[in-house]
Amino acid sequence: MEALLNKAKNLTTIDEAKSFLKEHFSFESNIVNLALDLCIKAHENQFRKSGMPYSVHPIAVAGIASSIFEDETVVASALLHDVVEDTHYKHSDIKKRFGKDVSFVVDGLTKISAMRAEASSGENQHLKSTALTFEKMIRSSIKDSRIIIVKLCDRIHNLLTLDALRVDKQIRIATESMEVYAPLAHTLGLNVLKGHIEDLSFSYINPDAYHYVKSYLLREGAKIERRLNSVIDNIRTQMLEFGFKDEDFTIESRVKHLYSIYRKMQTKGIDIDDILDIIGVRILLKAKIDCYTILGIVHTNYTPMIGRFKDYISLPKPNGYQTIHTTIYDKNGSVCEIQIRTYGMNEIADKGIASHSSYKNPRKENLYEIVELFGDEMSAEDSYSLAKGELFIEDITIQSPKGDTFSLPKGSIALDFAYAIHGDIGNHASKALVNKKEVDLSYVLRENDVVRIITDENALLKYHMRGLLKTSNAQHHLKKAYQNKHREIGKLSAINIFATLFDLHELEVREFFKNSKFKDNFHKSLINIAVYDDIVHEISSHFSFSGDDFKKPVEIKKDDFILKTNKEVDSVEFDYCCHPKNGDRIVAFYNGGNVVVHHRLCKDALKYISDGEEMIYCNWEKTLYQYQITVALKNTKGALAELLSKLAFMGINIADIPCGEINSQKAEYFRFNIESEELDSKVLFEKLSKKVKLIDIVSLTDAYNK
């Protein structure tokens, strides 16, 4: 692929581009010939920034696409992908000349481009544009994977020819490629494209790091090649001695992509010399059974590294990936990864959804899960942030007791698995059995764990675990269920609050809301005093209350709370069943002058609400948000006092007394809970980082974890 891309990069004339296409698409096709002619004609007198004829670009894209998926619809669509957008030709012209399939793919490609243009103005335009492009490409992949194959090849060629653009455009396009196109290639199993998109983008986004890694590989190239050749020659000799013939197998060498090496350095905090799988050997065979024979040969002649064996042939990943992975020590004690699979498995591993077997029976479950995030209740930007978080995390395979396999991001907890089964299972999960041992739902899962989820119809939502969840699917379902629960309790509470205020029966208030303009949002009266006041006015008018028979509610500030009621209030106190912190959502019950505050999700509170107990409006006078921070301190006299002084100066309240977590000769790490008026943890992180050596910050905004 690298040689092909180098050739595509250096195309400058239409004749060179046509020869390149013919080299990779050898079939005679009237549709492709007609598309090539129209491509050249439509883009006549159009030139790219580099000065080359514009039609060189779509022809190059068609050549790259045909090397991955030799299909005349893909190639014709690649040739025509810019015709509707950049010339006078219309979609109807394409449909008339080339038929339904080609016109459908071209239309999908045009709409992706149109989505970017639509989002190119306004606030946060980059994030919005990226999010909308991501969403459109996911939806297009579900409709017809050929759309995304062409779009990814289009992006690769654009990256190959970025040199002609301004630096700011180079960085914008490279960043979008890294954030949208590479994750999509990964999700669809198009690893043959993913690595090159990453490396090309990496060279523009972080050129210093790119050249550091590249220089290392060039400097160590001869040594790496000798190590690989030694392993390959030895394995080949052993295979031939065992009875295999040369035509029965292929042995390939593999060096990790530059960005993959850099990402591992960053995520593991190690130097390039410490990466174990920087080089590898791939053995391709004709039959599945032979893979296990070769595994035996490899392990007989080399010492395998403990904990580095994975059998994805017996337990394929949900996307269809099948390979045996093992890591061995060679004769010199160096480490080398070995991958063993059949030729068919290799095509799926490299081309994913573009492989012939996958295209006929595409696996799109993960795409459907991502599309679910782009609902009406969440902005495209928020949905995109959720989805992209897990796309590049290494996967682990988890099994159900029935033998079903699930692919989850590394670091996933048992609650992630519960939501992977079904949203209702996650919402009602109470505990888990991992390898028949009972564990908490926060238990971090490991490769090939067998997990069973125990549910309870009365189980509370585990919203306090939201920061531990790794999958966007689990985060999305938990957040949605949490919002629905708050809305449900909010509506019941609002009915009780206004029934108490007006001395009405709760059925009267319920009937009023059923037919009022507030029927969809009266739950907001618990947190929005303006909505509360509007409802008071409407109920007064509806039931014809006058000043003589209704005492208007007044605002009362008492013990860090704001109350609004027409009742006498002597005291405000917490009950013993729950422990809401400042900023948590609360409800308040009225009992003869005493106000008792509960967390809104408290089980006891829900019982009182359902029983129609008297309630009043109650909220925090001043909202403080809870965080847990970890700070590094020099082990010197007065360092802790100085830290506390800085936090106090910034208006940060200390909720817990700090204690040393980890000690070393140079530093101590302190973890404590703080309170701040800042809602956004990222903003607070930036503010604190300017004053102290902040290691980590975790939001504790909602404390209800019973």
Side-chain angles (χ1 to χ4, degrees), residues 13-40:
T13 68
I14 294 174
D15 285 340
E16 288 175 354
K18 287 167 70 175
S19 297
F20 175 75
L21 173 60
K22 189 174 182 180
E23 183 180 338
H24 298 287
F25 186 76
S26 55
F27 297 111
E28 190 60 38
S29 167
N30 289 332
I31 288 179
V32 170
N33 291 335
L34 288 171
L36 179 60
D37 292 340
L38 181 59
C39 168
I40 295 170

Side-chain angles (χ1 to χ4, degrees), residues 111 213 240 351 353 355 443 464 486 509 520 558 590 629:
K111 285 177 178 175
V213 177
L240 293 173
K351 298 183 179 180
I353 205 165
S355 64
Y443 178 85
H464 62 289
H486 270 295
V509 180
D520 294 324
K558 198 173 187 68
Y590 183 77
I629 62 172

Side-chain angles (χ1 to χ4, degrees), residues 313-529:
I313 293 181
S314 294
L315 295 170
K317 290 188 176 184
N319 65 2
Y321 179 86
Q322 289 184 285
T323 300
I324 292 174
H325 289 217
T326 186
T327 302
I328 54 99
Y329 295 99
D330 66 19
K331 304 302 181 184
N332 299 314
S334 298
V335 173
C336 181
E337 184 186 54
I338 309 291
Q339 295 180 358
I340 308 169
R341 57 198 187 208
T342 66
Y343 289 99
M345 294 171 189
N346 188 58
E347 188 194 18
I348 292 173
D350 278 350
K351 298 183 179 180
I353 205 165
S355 64
H356 286 284
S357 57
S358 292
Y359 183 74
K360 291 175 183 177
N361 300 288
R363 297 169 181 259
K364 299 181 179 179
E365 292 87 350
N366 54 342
L367 297 179
Y368 287 118
E369 284 183 4
I370 293 172
V371 162
E372 281 185 11
L373 300 178
F374 290 88
D376 296 332
E377 296 182 10
M378 194 179 295
S379 69
E381 296 95 310
D382 289 341
S383 299
Y384 167 66
S385 296
L386 268 181
K388 77 168 185 174
E390 69 186 68
L391 288 178
F392 270 148
I393 300 175
E394 183 182 345
D395 289 343
I396 57 172
T397 300
I398 304 300
Q399 298 181 67
S400 74
K402 293 181 179 180
D404 297 324
T405 59
F406 295 78
S407 184
L408 296 175
K410 191 174 182 180
S412 292
I413 62 175
L415 189 58
D416 280 300
F417 177 74
Y419 278 109
I421 300 170
H422 195 278
D424 286 341
I425 300 294
N427 290 339
H428 295 100
S430 60
K431 57 187 176 182
L433 296 177
V434 176
N435 305 322
K436 298 185 178 181
K437 180 181 177 183
E438 185 176 314
V439 299
D440 187 74
L441 290 167
S442 61
Y443 178 85
V444 178
L445 301 175
R446 298 180 179 179
E447 181 74 26
N448 291 328
D449 275 345
V450 179
V451 184
R452 179 187 171 199
I453 301 297
I454 309 299
T455 59
D456 181 347
E457 196 61 35
N458 297 315
L460 291 174
L461 292 170
K462 306 299 184 290
Y463 197 65
H464 62 289
M465 293 186 186
R466 68 195 185 282
L468 302 176
L469 293 169
K470 288 291 183 182
T471 63
S472 58
N473 177 56
Q475 293 171 28
H476 172 64
H477 277 96
L478 179 58
K479 183 176 182 179
K480 189 174 181 180
Y482 184 75
Q483 290 171 338
N484 290 340
K485 190 70 174 176
H486 270 295
R487 188 180 293 111
E488 174 194 338
I489 295 173
K491 287 185 174 183
L492 293 173
S493 300
I495 289 169
N496 291 349
I497 287 170
F498 292 109
T500 302
L501 185 69
F502 288 96
D503 291 323
L504 294 168
H505 194 279
E506 61 98 5
L507 290 176
E508 293 179 281
V509 180
R510 189 185 296 272
E511 192 63 27
F512 163 78
F513 281 129
K514 187 176 179 182
N515 300 301
S516 79
K517 65 180 182 181
F518 300 104
K519 64 180 180 181
D520 294 324
N521 70 343
F522 65 90
H523 62 282
K524 294 181 179 178
S525 60
L526 271 70
I527 57 173
N528 189 324
I529 208 159

Side-chain angles (χ1 to χ4, degrees), residues 584-601:
D584 292 350
R585 297 184 186 186
I586 54 176
V587 290
F589 299 91
Y590 183 77
N591 185 10
N594 296 322
V595 176
V596 183
V597 177
H598 288 256
H599 193 286
R600 199 189 289 187
L601 295 183

